[in-house]
Amino acid sequence: MLAFFQGSRSTADVYTSWKRRSLRCPAIDGENAMKKDHPGINTASKPSGDGRVECLAAGGWWLHLRRCAQCGHIGCRDSSPSQRATKHHASTGHTVIASFEPGEDWFFDYEKQRMIKGVELLPPHSHPATQPTPGPAGRVPPDWETLLH
């Protein structure tokens, strides 16, 4: 074994070469592999809240919520007054969103302009089921349907 490490290659070179071979530990490399298989999706990101943070802070409302699959930012869909999910994509370059509505399980890729197969993200996967749609409770104007895009 000592002869293997002797010669022109350093121990660091040998280790790096070994590490690059297919004997890698899936527990260590799994996150990198996931990112290669699913660009734009970070399975370690958590939702930024149970509603759109900007709307909650400003007293606004939304129709349906979307979750950025890369950073967890919660935005509202394009028919909502603020259209924050698409604006978040435009300002950050994050390309994939997931529904943040109870009972929905879909992903959309802005670059491909189509639905894509997603992966399991960290919970929660939706706003609370007790939160109405549109929401949040008490902030939706009576004429909300006329305010949609």
Side-chain angles (χ1 to χ4, degrees):
M1 182 64 131
L2 184 59
F4 177 73
F5 287 102
Q6 292 176 338
S8 62
R9 293 173 47 170
S10 71
T11 303
D13 290 338
V14 171
Y15 174 74
T16 301
S17 174
W18 169 81
K19 190 172 147 187
R20 287 185 180 145
R21 285 185 272 153
S22 62
L23 299 174
R24 295 182 183 183
C25 173
I28 294 170
D29 294 332
E31 184 175 337
N32 292 335
M34 182 66 70
K35 289 182 182 181
K36 286 181 201 170
D37 292 344
H38 302 284
I41 300 175
N42 177 2
T43 58
S45 70
K46 296 179 181 177
S48 59
D50 63 358
R52 195 172 78 74
V53 175
E54 297 91 346
C55 279
L56 293 171
W61 63 279
W62 56 79
L63 180 59
H64 291 123
L65 297 175
R66 309 295 181 235
R67 174 183 178 173
C68 175
Q70 187 165 340
C71 73
H73 178 267
I74 302 299
C76 48
R77 77 181 228 178
D78 284 349
S79 57
S80 293
S82 296
Q83 303 172 320
R84 289 290 174 191
T86 298
K87 289 177 182 176
H88 176 75
H89 157 67
S91 68
T92 63
H94 297 171
T95 58
V96 180
I97 59 170
S99 176
F100 201 62
E101 292 295 316
E104 294 184 4
D105 184 23
W106 56 260
F107 288 73
F108 179 82
D109 187 315
Y110 283 106
E111 284 185 346
K112 296 176 183 176
Q113 284 297 298
R114 65 179 174 85
M115 305 299 267
I116 63 168
K117 181 177 171 75
V119 296
E120 185 75 18
L121 297 175
L122 290 177
H125 300 109
S126 70
H127 62 76
T130 57
Q131 180 178 295
T133 300
R139 294 205 186 154
V140 181
D143 62 342
W144 66 270
E145 291 176 292
T146 64
L147 302 173
L148 299 178
H149 294 272

